[in-house]
Amino acid sequence: MYQILSETMKSIFFLSRYNSTRTSYWSGIPYFARQKLDQNFDVIELNPAENIAFQFFERLFSWLRRRFAFRYHFQDSLLSGILAAPYILYTIHIKHRNKATALVAMAGSSELLFVPKKVRVILFADATMEQLFDFYPTYKDIFGWSKWESCSVNISMLNSLHHAFFTSNWALSHARQISTLNSTNSSLAYFGPNLPDQYSSNLIDQRCEEQTLKFLFPTTSWERKGGEEAIRFLTHLSEKITTPIELIVFGQTSSSLDFNGFVIHQLGWIDKSNERQLNKLIKAYQTCHFLILPTKADTTPVSIVEAFCYALPVIATNVGGIKEMFNNSQAGFMYDMQDMGSAIQWVQQHNRNDSYKKAALDSRKQFEKKYNWNQWVEKMQGVLHVND
């Protein structure tokens, strides 16, 4: 592992579209990435979306969307990059006098086109714009010409990078197909959980002693994450086992939950920068038996990484980069939306027994081997130290 002494710590720019202290942005990934980089680098943060011009147009297009159904995707448009450019150039050239020659960008698109050429840009992302437009319901009603613009800008941005890291082969292979990225200047990098590691080896045994089978369902979007499917899954499961079932939901929920045969606890939205709320979430990960995620559209879900950290076997649908996260392990069960029965059978076979313990340990191994912030920062260091 690379080690940088504090007195010779290298300076880097760190671009997060919004301030990295906003743990709600990209599920908190920029927040935890910035914390890890701070331990190894002198980090200078850039937040192009925090400048007044960007905020004005962001709110303007948001209002036009609500008032007149004007479906323009401003955030990744060429216009958003042009508005961010003066802030980026001022911050790099004048405010910090070209102090750093490398920039780590957490996602980002058009604004990266305006970073000075002598600054090496390293991107960390989970999908291309084309994948997001094709995949996410949020983008389905965007104007066709707006999608074309954002995708074209995204490709130009990919072509300009010094190096690109993606969280899955699903995203990486597509990025290489649509741009000049290749095996030399693009690769995989996995991120870690967006909460502290408070796992202990006795957690799995404690769960097996519980009289109730507990499921954790994280959702930023009830529809997209498969809220109704999760309810239907547990309803069918409750008909096949005598064990009491509980579902713990954090994030967005439906206003009219329709379920039978089990109890639902709603934690609401969790602010991970709030210690009390964070502890509530950690307790849920510690005490639940399974993470259930019948999602309809996802890239590399943060909640699965957090489940790995706390040795929760994961029951998830096969979409986006999720298949790769299991990596042929027994860390859970992945199924197609039409084949819920096989997933229910798997849960029955792993109901607080030795098979469950093995699946839980395999889940933890995924965290220890791949999905942790230490390996992420090592990947960053490896690229940042080339040609220094």
Side-chain angles (χ1 to χ4, degrees):
M1 179 175 177
Y2 297 91
Q3 183 64 42
I4 304 176
L5 300 178
S6 58
E7 60 267 23
T8 58
M9 196 171 279
K10 176 183 175 67
S11 295
I12 61 168
F13 293 113
F14 176 78
L15 188 146
S16 172
R17 179 169 287 171
Y18 300 94
N19 193 299
S20 62
T21 59
R22 287 173 54 173
T23 55
S24 60
Y25 175 54
W26 196 7
S27 300
I29 288 177
Y31 173 76
F32 283 87
R34 168 69 196 267
Q35 285 190 330
K36 200 64 186 179
L37 288 172
D38 277 337
Q39 298 172 15
N40 298 271
F41 300 95
D42 172 25
V43 179
I44 303 165
E45 185 163 338
L46 307 179
N47 308 124
E50 301 292 337
N51 77 79
I52 295 174
F54 190 102
Q55 290 179 358
F56 171 80
F57 279 94
E58 185 176 44
R59 291 169 183 169
L60 173 63
F61 284 111
S62 177
W63 178 78
L64 288 172
R65 183 186 180 104
R66 293 192 308 270
R67 185 69 177 82
F68 301 106
F70 187 74
R71 313 296 187 183
Y72 179 65
H73 185 63
F74 166 73
Q75 284 79 4
D76 294 285
S77 66
L78 182 60
L79 175 61
S80 72
I82 292 172
L83 291 171
Y87 165 83
I88 290 173
L89 295 172
Y90 167 79
T91 305
I92 291 176
H93 284 316
I94 300 175
K95 186 175 181 179
H96 294 286
R97 299 182 180 277
N98 303 305
K99 186 178 180 180
T101 58
L103 180 149
V104 175
M106 306 303 293
S109 190
S110 57
E111 62 267 35
L112 297 181
L113 291 172
F114 298 92
V115 175
K117 295 298 181 184
K118 64 180 179 180
V119 177
R120 292 173 294 151
V121 178
I122 295 94
L123 174 74
F124 179 69
D126 59 353
T128 65
M129 282 308 305
E130 187 174 318
Q131 287 176 312
L132 294 177
F133 282 137
D134 289 343
F135 208 47
Y136 275 60
T138 311
Y139 300 116
K140 289 296 183 184
D141 58 352
I142 299 294
F143 292 137
W145 57 270
S146 180
K147 290 182 181 180
W148 174 85
E149 179 199 22
S150 294
C151 289
S152 299
V153 168
N154 187 243
I155 292 170
S156 297
M157 180 274 293
L158 293 174
N159 291 338
S160 71
L161 297 174
H162 174 75
H163 198 96
F165 287 109
F166 285 92
T167 60
S168 68
N169 271 309
W170 171 76
L172 177 63
S173 59
H174 187 261
R176 288 176 178 174
Q177 288 174 13
I178 63 173
S179 71
T180 57
L181 291 175
N182 53 50
S183 58
T184 303
N185 61 2
S186 62
S187 55
L188 292 171
Y190 309 108
F191 57 91
N194 292 346
L195 71 180
D197 177 12
Q198 295 183 10
Y199 168 81
S200 61
S201 57
N202 62 342
L203 281 179
I204 298 173
D205 289 331
Q206 289 176 1
R207 290 178 198 154
C208 290
E209 294 171 1
E210 287 282 339
Q211 299 302 307
T212 301
L213 198 59
K214 297 180 180 179
F215 292 79
L216 184 61
F217 176 56
T219 169
T220 52
S221 168
W222 181 261
E223 170 65 21
R224 178 173 66 84
K225 292 289 187 178
E228 299 302 327
E229 286 72 18
I231 297 296
R232 190 157 48 248
F233 182 99
L234 296 181
T235 299
H236 288 308
L237 177 64
S238 67
E239 295 169 353
K240 294 182 178 296
I241 63 175
T242 58
T243 310
I245 294 174
E246 286 185 18
L247 175 64
I248 297 177
V249 181
F250 70 88
Q252 185 186 49
T253 57
S254 173
S255 57
S256 57
L257 289 175
D258 181 21
F259 61 93
N260 294 289
F262 59 94
V263 176
I264 293 183
H265 297 290
Q266 300 182 52
L267 299 185
W269 292 101
I270 298 293
D271 180 0
K272 292 178 180 177
S273 62
N274 181 300
E275 184 176 358
R276 183 177 177 181
Q277 294 185 32
L278 178 62
N279 288 336
K280 188 187 299 185
L281 179 60
I282 290 172
K283 184 178 179 181
Y285 273 109
Q286 290 173 330
T287 57
C288 284
H289 296 87
F290 299 97
L291 182 91
I292 182 167
L293 191 66
T295 177
K296 299 175 182 177
D298 251 307
T299 53
T300 314
V302 173
S303 56
I304 292 182
V305 177
E306 294 173 344
F308 288 159
C309 177
Y310 282 90
L312 261 71
V314 177
I315 304 153
T317 42
N318 182 13
V319 297
I322 290 179
K323 183 176 181 179
E324 300 170 45
M325 300 181 77
F326 285 84
N327 194 31
N328 298 319
S329 73
Q330 300 300 313
F333 190 84
M334 187 179 57
Y335 69 100
D336 293 324
M337 193 70 78
Q338 305 89 337
D339 190 22
M340 183 184 294
S342 61
I344 290 175
Q345 186 178 19
W346 187 88
V347 173
Q348 290 177 271
Q349 295 168 349
H350 294 76
N351 188 353
R352 300 163 301 162
N353 52 22
D354 288 342
S355 296
Y356 173 82
K357 292 180 181 179
K358 184 180 185 307
L361 289 172
D362 277 359
S363 177
R364 176 68 182 181
K365 286 177 183 176
Q366 292 297 97
F367 161 75
E368 293 173 344
K369 291 180 179 179
K370 289 173 58 178
Y371 291 98
N372 60 76
W373 286 110
N374 287 334
Q375 67 78 29
W376 180 86
V377 80
E378 285 182 15
K379 288 285 187 76
M380 295 297 153
Q381 287 172 320
V383 171
L384 288 166
H385 281 75
V386 173
N387 299 326
D388 276 5

